[in-house]
Amino acid sequence: MEALEEVLELLKLPHRGSATALEAEAFRRLAGFLEARGLKPSEIPFRGVRSYGPELLALSLLLGLGFLSPLFPLAGALGFYLYFTGRRPWGRLLDRHPSRNLLAWKGEGTRALVLMAHVDTAKTYFLYHPKRVKGFRRSFLLNACLALLSPLLALTPLKWPLSLYFLLQAALLLHRELSAPYVKGGNDNASGVAVATALFLETDPPPGFRLGLALTGCEEVGALGAKALLPHLPEGTLVLNLDNVGRGELFYAEGEGMLRYVPYRGPLLEAARKTPGARPVRYRLAYFDTLPLAQRGFPTLTLVRLEGGVPPDWHWPTDTFARLDPKALKDTLAYARSLLKALVGLPSKLPCTPEGAGEGREEP
């Protein structure tokens, strides 16, 4: 059985919800898989949350209390901005559940390249329904405009419908927390874990170069695993992230950010622009684990597959292993292999056979 298939089999659990016991079981299986191949992955423990719902619920409540005082929506607007630019100053109060990353290295040297993918899965929500998900970006921008204007609107008669809007949103988020299941996460992101792990196993770093594999937890609740990984990465580490690569057309992100756009920079992006097989995209739909790294100056790149501007089966119960496209997985592996070869001439045990190149740029 190929490494791709073996890793996918390991991750076939009811779910791998952020900071849950099943996320821990997935990491236990992955650690055993790597150790059986002579590697010594180190575990990086940290604490996180099991869902982003309670935080968004609290922000919605603050924004919905504008009929009492404009100070509530002022606090809500500030919290909204911080959260959706990747900052959680309240995290130390909420991050109570154990999670972890796995980090394995091959080779020695002063330069480092890390292959990264997140292990955890998210709860579903009605906005991810296949008939609604293409409007996800528009819904977010509407919420952002209303949230950031709410302190001013709280001084006008519009505070009443606006308060009702955000209180209804809080009720929907509460319903999600009480009843919504975690998805199985075949595409998001067993696909990325499988490709990153297979590429790591087949690639031999040359002398003077370190190759790393970082499998992260709690990506779905604020890229908490990536933030916990930061102190363990040498300065200037190149980070190639794989997320949602199990079906659809292959893209490389040129940057990301839901509110503030953070452009990627560095050799990985330049290599991707010269490597046929993927199209560029300015990713504004959500965030990747690369966001906190790019914000801190690390040269990063994310590979993602999209259908109609969104990842297939994104956070919906249809995100199962049965819906993965084996050819998409193999073509992603081939493209990533070509990318590494173009980047630093890393020798691989397998030939590079990426799919054909596309044209143009998209912005979901």
Side-chain angles (χ1 to χ4, degrees):
M1 187 183 292
E2 295 182 359
L4 274 174
E5 298 170 343
E6 290 185 72
V7 174
L8 290 175
E9 284 297 320
L10 292 174
L11 296 177
K12 287 182 179 179
L13 294 161
H15 65 77
R16 303 181 304 278
S18 307
T20 64
L22 287 176
E23 185 201 62
E25 172 62 16
F27 275 110
R28 186 191 67 78
R29 293 182 180 188
L30 290 166
F33 176 82
L34 295 172
E35 290 166 358
R37 282 149 184 78
L39 298 164
K40 298 180 180 179
S42 59
E43 183 177 289
I44 302 171
F46 63 93
R47 290 190 174 271
V49 293
R50 292 178 171 170
S51 171
Y52 62 73
E55 290 170 80
L56 297 190
L57 193 159
L59 293 176
S60 296
L61 283 176
L62 287 171
L63 293 167
L65 293 177
F67 66 93
L68 295 177
S69 167
L71 294 179
F72 289 112
L74 180 62
L78 177 60
F80 187 97
Y81 179 81
L82 290 173
Y83 186 86
F84 286 105
T85 53
R87 288 167 284 185
R88 298 170 64 247
W90 53 83
R92 292 189 180 186
L93 299 175
L94 301 181
D95 297 344
R96 290 288 180 260
H97 300 285
S99 185
R100 62 203 45 78
N101 300 326
L102 287 181
L103 180 60
W105 291 101
K106 294 164 64 175
E108 299 290 339
T110 55
R111 299 186 65 195
L113 167 66
V114 168
L115 309 173
M116 181 169 65
H118 76 87
V119 175
D120 61 312
T121 61
K123 285 188 172 187
T124 190
Y125 192 41
F126 79 98
L127 289 177
Y128 301 118
H129 188 283
K131 292 183 179 180
R132 298 187 185 96
V133 70
K134 290 185 179 179
F136 186 89
R137 177 67 180 166
R138 291 192 298 273
S139 297
F140 172 77
L141 290 176
L142 172 63
N143 267 355
C145 288
L146 293 177
L148 298 178
L149 288 173
S150 62
L152 294 176
L153 295 177
L155 301 174
T156 75
L158 291 175
K159 65 184 177 182
W160 297 105
L162 188 63
S163 293
L164 181 62
Y165 173 82
F166 281 113
L167 290 175
L168 176 60
Q169 192 170 93
L172 291 171
L173 286 165
L174 178 60
H175 180 265
R176 174 185 184 267
E177 288 311 298
L178 295 177
S179 62
Y182 291 100
V183 300
K184 292 181 183 293
N187 189 38
D188 189 7
N189 185 38
S191 64
V193 174
V195 172
T197 303
L199 183 60
F200 177 74
L201 292 175
E202 74 176 40
T203 304
D204 294 324
F209 209 100
R210 300 176 73 195
L211 180 65
L213 174 67
L215 304 178
T216 63
C218 285
E219 186 268 358
E220 300 287 7
V221 292
L224 304 187
K227 293 175 182 177
L229 183 67
L230 282 165
H232 302 269
L233 298 180
E235 184 177 355
T237 296
L238 307 178
V239 181
L240 175 61
N241 183 49
L242 294 113
D243 202 342
N244 285 276
V245 293
R247 207 171 85 240
E249 182 183 355
L250 185 62
F251 291 84
Y252 65 87
E254 295 182 307
E256 60 180 295
M258 296 183 75
L259 277 181
R260 295 182 61 187
Y261 182 74
V262 180
Y264 296 163
R265 297 183 176 87
L268 279 165
L269 178 59
E270 295 306 313
R273 287 171 172 162
K274 298 174 184 177
T275 303
R279 288 204 288 154
V281 62
R282 292 165 57 92
Y283 195 76
R284 308 302 305 271
L285 187 67
Y287 61 86
F288 299 119
D289 259 341
T290 37
L291 179 61
L293 281 69
Q295 287 174 327
R296 290 159 179 80
F298 282 87
T300 62
L301 186 78
T302 289
L303 300 182
V304 63
R305 286 185 177 270
L306 304 173
E307 287 181 349
V310 299
D313 300 310
W314 190 39
H315 295 177
W316 197 247
T318 53
D319 185 11
T320 63
F321 288 80
R323 287 177 60 80
L324 292 175
D325 178 359
K327 184 178 184 300
L329 290 168
K330 291 180 180 179
D331 285 347
T332 304
L333 178 58
Y335 179 82
R337 192 183 296 139
S338 296
L339 186 61
L340 296 196
K341 186 176 180 180
L343 178 68
V344 290
L346 288 175
S348 171
K349 299 172 185 175
L350 294 174
C352 303
T353 54
E355 64 184 32
E359 298 293 336
R361 175 182 286 105
E362 284 200 7
E363 181 171 345

